[in-house]
């Protein structure tokens, strides 16, 4: 059986044309679609209130509930909305110490970065982890029970030669002036 390709479709004699990559083609077309004013409004409202009902959301963006739900599902399917969660007040959770940490690795190989990132993904105390450029390789936010807990955690990272941590610089958060509450969608 011969197969030819035309415009991203596999043409096989005697069979219906099939996309060469169904998932990728669907994802690519969904990501390529620019957000219009109503999509941006929906996203802004959801960033403020992820528990809003579809009825209330539809009223705020002046759409029928069905049209609003279709748009929301489309935004979820395209990956613009990746999930919903509750925002907690860390002051009400007890004596959590939040620390911003800069980490530099000894080795800049891809495998070294992959090992470090995998370890951070499995560490509950790491509440955010960003690969950055500049004077360090990663910036983390940690939530620890105490300074002793923080010191034990980071000393273990430095002692683990497989992890490849060369240097850790820490900055304890004294006060959260502006917590993250969503991206600007202007």
């Amino acid at each position: 059986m011969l197969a030819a390709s035309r415009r991203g479709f596999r043409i096989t004699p005697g069979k219906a044309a099939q996309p060469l990559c169904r998932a990728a083609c669907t994802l690519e077309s969904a990501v390529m679609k620019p957000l219009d004013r109503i999509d941006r409004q929906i996203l802004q409202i959801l960033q403020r209130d992820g528990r809003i009902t579809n009825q209330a959301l539809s009223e705020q963006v002046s759409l029928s509930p069905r049209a609003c739900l279709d748009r929301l599902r489309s935004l979820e399917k395209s990956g613009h909305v990746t999930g919903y969660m509750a925002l907690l007040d860390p002051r009400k959770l007890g004596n959590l110490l939040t620390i911003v940490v800069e980490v530099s690795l000894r080795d800049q190989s891809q495998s070294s970065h992959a090992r470090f990132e995998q370890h951070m993904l499995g560490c509950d105390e790491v509440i955010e982890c960003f690969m950055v450029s500049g004077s360090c390789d990663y910036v983390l936010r940690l939530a620890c029970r105490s300074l002793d807990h923080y010191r034990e955690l980071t000393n273990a990272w430095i002692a683990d030669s497989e992890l490849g941590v060369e240097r850790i610089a820490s900055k304890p958060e004294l006060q959260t002036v502006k917590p993250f509450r969503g991206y600007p969608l202007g």
Side-chain angles (χ1 to χ4, degrees):
M1 253 189 189
L2 264 175
S5 174
R6 184 174 4 149
R7 292 189 188 156
F9 286 89
R10 177 174 291 129
I11 312 297
T12 306
K15 291 190 175 183
Q18 297 178 335
L20 290 175
C21 56
R22 285 185 187 157
C25 292
T26 304
L27 182 59
E28 182 181 11
S29 63
V31 171
M32 297 298 275
K33 178 186 168 239
L35 296 174
D36 66 11
R37 181 184 56 79
I38 294 174
D39 288 338
R40 287 186 198 294
Q41 272 186 295
I42 290 171
L43 292 173
Q44 282 178 325
I45 293 165
L46 286 174
Q47 285 187 121
R48 282 194 317 269
D49 182 5
R51 294 185 64 182
I52 191 170
T53 65
N54 184 59
Q55 180 66 41
L57 181 60
S58 69
E59 289 169 6
Q60 287 188 37
V61 297
S62 302
L63 288 177
S64 70
R66 182 74 222 168
C68 185
L69 185 59
D70 288 345
R71 280 188 181 248
L72 179 54
R73 286 186 177 152
S74 175
L75 290 166
E76 290 170 343
K77 186 176 179 182
S78 68
H80 285 89
V81 176
T82 59
Y84 301 88
M85 62 187 229
L87 298 173
L88 307 179
D89 184 344
R91 296 169 299 181
K92 306 259 195 246
L93 298 176
N95 292 328
L96 277 181
L97 180 63
T98 309
I99 304 169
V100 176
V101 178
E102 295 178 352
V103 177
S104 298
L105 301 181
R106 277 187 222 105
D107 179 359
Q108 295 302 308
S109 70
Q110 198 170 12
S111 61
S112 185
H113 281 273
R115 267 192 311 277
F116 179 80
E117 290 171 14
Q118 197 60 40
H119 191 81
M120 294 304 106
L121 288 170
C123 184
D124 290 339
E125 292 87 354
V126 176
I127 55 176
E128 290 184 295
C129 177
F130 305 96
M131 178 190 267
V132 297
S133 64
S135 62
C136 64
D137 297 310
Y138 293 89
V139 173
L140 316 174
R141 278 187 72 225
L142 304 180
C144 297
R145 295 181 306 276
S146 65
L147 275 175
D148 288 337
H149 178 211
Y150 165 75
R151 193 171 45 252
E152 289 169 15
L153 181 68
T154 54
N155 284 345
W157 292 351
I158 291 171
D160 183 350
S161 61
E162 290 289 311
L163 203 51
V165 173
E166 179 178 345
R167 186 180 64 82
I168 294 176
S170 59
K171 297 157 182 48
E173 286 185 21
L174 301 178
Q175 177 184 358
T176 301
V177 176
K178 182 179 180 182
F180 176 75
R181 290 294 187 252
Y183 295 99
L185 297 168

